[in-house]
């Protein structure tokens, strides 16, 4: 029994170390991009020794890849959950609100949530190898937006709706890194929503025949 308990404690300690290293890598990547990551900075932040990176991940690059993939999956899962909750009769404002909510939530919360969004924004500019592992989730996210946008914009074809969706996503990603994002983060959640949702709705609306 004692041996089992000790093994369980070792596994828990190992998982804490692994999680701490991934969190530290995510924070550094969010601040400076993957090129700014050093092994020493990550291990110092995580309170771990250098050998722990090799033991748990194999290399610094694999640790960074794991942190990036975690950020992307978390972002996509949040986006898909928000969009799937919308009825087909959702208004353009409701679509924009659901689409922007993960970013608004991160801006309001700061910390790890915002680090995830900043990582997503950085790798969106320079996608890492292996990005295609998440193609299915990206496609599902885009389909979710088109599903609820199409009834609001009947004069706009699917390719144009996808383009507008990508532009709106780029706008939100830019906010995570730009000074204006810091300004938004100082506001209340309600004020962030008031400022941001009409801008995202405008990106979706574009200059479509129904908006003239």
């Amino acid at each position: 029994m004692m041996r089992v308990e000790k093994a369980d404690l070792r596994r828990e300690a190992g998982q804490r170390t692994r999680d701490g290293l991934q969190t530290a890598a995510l924070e550094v990547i969010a601040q400076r991009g993957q090129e700014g990551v050093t092994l020493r900075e990550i291990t110092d932040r995580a309170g771990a020794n250098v050998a722990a990176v090799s033991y748990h991940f194999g290399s610094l690059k694999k640790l960074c890849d794991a942190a990036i993939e975690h950020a992307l999956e978390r972002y996509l899962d949040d986006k898909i959950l928000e969009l799937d909750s919308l009825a087909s009769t959702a208004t353009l404002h409701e679509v924009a609100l659901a689409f922007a909510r993960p970013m608004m939530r991160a801006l309001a919360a700061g910390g790890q949530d915002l680090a995830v969004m900043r990582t997503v924004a950085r790798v969106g500019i320079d996608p890492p190898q292996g990005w295609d592992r998440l193609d299915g989730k990206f496609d599902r996210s885009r389909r979710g937006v088109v599903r609820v946008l199409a009834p609001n914009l009947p004069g706009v074809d699917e390719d144009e709706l996808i383009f507008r969706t990508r532009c709106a996503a780029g706008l939100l990603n830019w906010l995570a890194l730009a000074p204006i994002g810091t300004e938004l983060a100082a506001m209340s959640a309600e004020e962030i929503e008031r400022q941001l949702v009409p801008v995202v709705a405008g990106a979706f609306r574009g200059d479509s025949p129904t908006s003239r």
Side-chain angles (χ1 to χ4, degrees):
M1 179 66 73
M2 285 290 291
R3 261 194 232 111
V4 172
E5 289 177 355
K6 286 182 179 179
D8 288 343
L9 289 173
R10 280 197 297 271
R11 275 195 296 271
E12 289 173 6
Q15 188 61 51
R16 283 195 299 272
T17 299
R18 182 183 176 87
D19 291 345
L21 288 168
Q22 187 165 287
T23 296
L26 186 60
E27 290 171 350
V28 176
I29 293 168
Q31 290 171 0
R32 297 194 298 277
Q34 195 167 352
E35 295 303 315
V37 175
T38 66
L39 184 62
R40 177 61 64 185
E41 183 175 11
I42 288 175
T43 53
D44 285 351
R45 279 180 180 244
N49 60 54
V50 172
V53 173
S54 295
Y55 178 79
H56 288 285
F57 294 94
S59 68
L60 176 60
K61 182 182 183 307
K62 288 181 179 178
L63 166 58
C64 292
D65 287 347
I68 290 169
E69 186 164 349
H70 168 75
L72 287 171
E73 286 212 83
R74 182 170 161 185
Y75 165 74
L76 288 169
D77 286 345
D78 285 351
K79 183 70 67 68
I80 288 167
L81 185 64
E82 291 289 346
L83 293 168
D84 283 354
S85 70
L86 291 174
S88 59
T89 55
T91 66
L92 197 59
H93 178 88
E94 289 169 335
V95 177
L97 177 60
F99 191 82
R101 188 172 280 124
M103 179 60 74
M104 293 190 300
R105 201 158 42 216
L107 288 169
Q112 180 76 359
D113 289 345
L114 189 52
V116 167
M117 289 302 180
R118 284 177 172 156
T119 301
V120 169
R122 288 189 182 279
V123 300
I125 296 169
D126 184 19
Q129 288 185 336
W131 179 280
D132 55 354
R133 286 193 300 257
L134 298 172
D135 279 355
K137 286 192 176 184
F138 277 105
D139 287 343
R140 183 178 170 189
S141 175
R142 281 192 287 266
R143 286 197 306 271
V145 181
V146 170
R147 174 183 69 85
V148 286
L149 276 183
N152 286 281
L153 301 166
V156 183
D157 65 32
E158 183 173 328
D159 287 344
E160 177 66 18
L161 290 176
I162 290 173
F163 177 76
R164 293 184 190 184
T165 297
R166 293 175 67 189
C167 288
L171 181 153
L172 291 174
N173 287 344
W174 173 75
L175 284 177
L177 301 174
I180 194 172
T182 304
E183 294 173 23
L184 285 171
M187 300 177 184
S188 67
E190 293 77 13
E191 184 64 11
I192 293 172
E193 179 180 325
R194 190 189 71 78
Q195 295 270 19
L196 191 53
V197 171
V199 177
V200 176
F204 286 147
R205 186 180 297 108
D207 188 26
S208 66
T210 57
S211 68
R212 292 177 186 170

